[in-house]
């Protein structure tokens, strides 16, 4: 399962890439706002960094960038997506999973512009994303679980459906808004392709109190042993 960093902060992205090898990045308007920088500046920094790391192209390192969420009409979505796509071959265009969004993604994919159908909250939405060949589909986990739903079955259903119809891997499942190590494991058990989460979520998932406890035990033993 691939790990994408859900962030628009270039320092965090560089850190995560260098320390634990993230496979891609997802951004959204909220992440860009939290970076404190203008949208186009963030995109420019990400494109430049991908070049400096020799990971140019969405096949090597996909970076999802979202169109202006005020746009409702498919033709306007397509125009906005084309502008972002022209900035770097790493950019995959995030489009909301509305009827117009599906039409826009379908048209963009036909032209070779890769898309990420986002704000997906049901298996039925995930089906239509795959039927229209989006590169990625982003079912949101955290937002649903914050509202009391258990998403393990939800992700398992999507992967099973994709397996049934040969869509696994063709439209890659990004479990989005992942907030906890348990959610990461649920997504992996279900066979999702990717999880995207913030830096702190990944860092929490690497920590275990027994690991620290084990280090204390071994340190004590080391200190009582001749080297
Ligand atoms: C996914 O691609 C989204 O950017 C993301 O997971 C949304 O989560 P957030 O609640 O952290 O913004």
């Amino acid at each position: 399962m691939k790990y994408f960093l859900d962030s628009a902060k270039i320092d965090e992205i560089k850190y995560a890439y260098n320390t634990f090898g993230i496979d891609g990045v997802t951004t959204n308007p909220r992440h860009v706002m939290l970076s404190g920088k203008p949208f186009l500046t963030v995109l420019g920094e990400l494109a430049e960094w991908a070049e400096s790391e020799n990971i140019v192209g969405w096949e090597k390192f996909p970076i999802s960038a979202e169109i202006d969420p005020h746009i409702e009409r498919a033709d306007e979505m397509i125009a906005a997506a084309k502008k972002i796509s022209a900035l770097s071959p790493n950019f995959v265009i995030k489009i909301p999973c509305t009827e117009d969004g599906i039409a826009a993604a379908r048209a963009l994919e036909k032209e070779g512009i890769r898309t990420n159908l986002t704000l997906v909250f049901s298996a039925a939405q995930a089906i239509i994303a795959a039927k229209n060949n989006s590169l990625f589909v982003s079912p949101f986990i955290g937002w649903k679980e914050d509202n009391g739903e258990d998403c393990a079955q939800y992700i398992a259903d999507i992967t099973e459906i994709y397996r049934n119809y040969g869509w696994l891997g063709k439209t890659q499942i990004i479990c989005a808004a992942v907030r906890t190590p348990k959610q990461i494991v649920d997504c992996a058990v279900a066979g999702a392709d990717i999880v995207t989460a913030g830096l702190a979520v990944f860092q929490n998932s690497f920590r275990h109190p027994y690991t620290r406890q084990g280090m204390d035990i071994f340190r004590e033993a080391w200190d009582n042993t001749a080297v």
Side-chain angles (χ1 to χ4, degrees):
M1 186 170 68
K2 290 182 177 171
Y3 279 6
F4 285 5
L5 194 74
D6 209 8
S7 173
K9 293 180 182 162
I10 190 76
D11 291 347
E12 274 188 2
I13 292 164
K14 287 179 182 172
Y15 178 81
Y17 182 74
N18 292 327
T19 56
F20 59 94
I22 50 163
D23 305 289
V25 163
T26 50
T27 68
N28 67 29
R30 200 177 67 81
H31 294 316
V32 174
M33 178 192 75
L34 292 174
S35 78
K37 295 177 184 171
F39 178 59
L40 290 176
T41 304
V42 169
L43 295 191
E45 282 180 355
L46 289 170
E48 204 174 294
W49 170 74
E51 272 183 41
S52 73
E53 290 290 346
N54 206 17
I55 45 171
V56 174
W58 62 264
E59 301 92 335
K60 287 189 182 157
F61 194 89
I63 300 172
S64 289
E66 196 151 345
I67 56 167
D68 175 349
H70 293 287
I71 301 174
E72 292 273 1
R73 280 180 24 200
D75 58 339
E76 291 177 1
M77 288 179 178
I78 292 168
K82 285 184 175 174
K83 280 188 191 152
I84 295 173
S85 171
L87 300 174
S88 163
N90 288 77
F91 293 145
V92 173
I93 313 303
K94 271 174 117 174
I95 302 206
C97 191
T98 60
E99 197 166 334
D100 275 72
I102 292 157
R106 175 181 169 80
L108 288 162
E109 288 287 349
K110 279 186 178 166
E111 289 189 42
I113 295 175
R114 303 314 314 257
T115 59
N116 176 349
L117 253 268
T118 190
L119 290 168
V120 164
F121 293 93
S122 75
Q125 287 178 303
I127 290 173
I128 200 70
K131 278 177 69 63
N132 287 293
N133 298 317
S134 276
L135 175 63
F136 296 129
V137 63
S138 291
F140 278 40
I141 308 297
W143 293 18
K144 279 165 84 84
E145 293 211 342
D146 288 349
N147 283 299
E149 290 183 49
D150 183 337
C151 284
Q153 190 58 49
Y154 166 54
I155 295 303
D157 286 349
I158 295 174
T159 54
E160 189 180 342
I161 292 165
Y162 275 33
R163 192 172 299 111
N164 288 346
Y165 296 100
W167 297 330
L168 266 187
K170 180 181 75 75
T171 292
Q172 296 171 41
I173 303 163
I174 305 182
C175 296
V178 166
R179 307 273 191 249
T180 66
K182 181 185 178 300
Q183 289 171 348
I184 294 177
V185 174
D186 285 347
C187 296
V189 169
D193 299 284
I194 302 152
V195 288
T196 189
L199 181 60
V201 176
F202 285 122
Q203 288 172 322
N204 282 341
S205 78
F206 311 147
R207 282 188 202 117
H208 200 288
Y210 284 2
T211 305
R212 293 305 321 173
Q213 194 180 320
M215 286 178 71
D216 290 344
I217 291 167
F218 292 156
R219 278 177 183 162
E220 198 183 336
W222 184 276
D223 293 344
N224 288 295
T225 309
V227 178

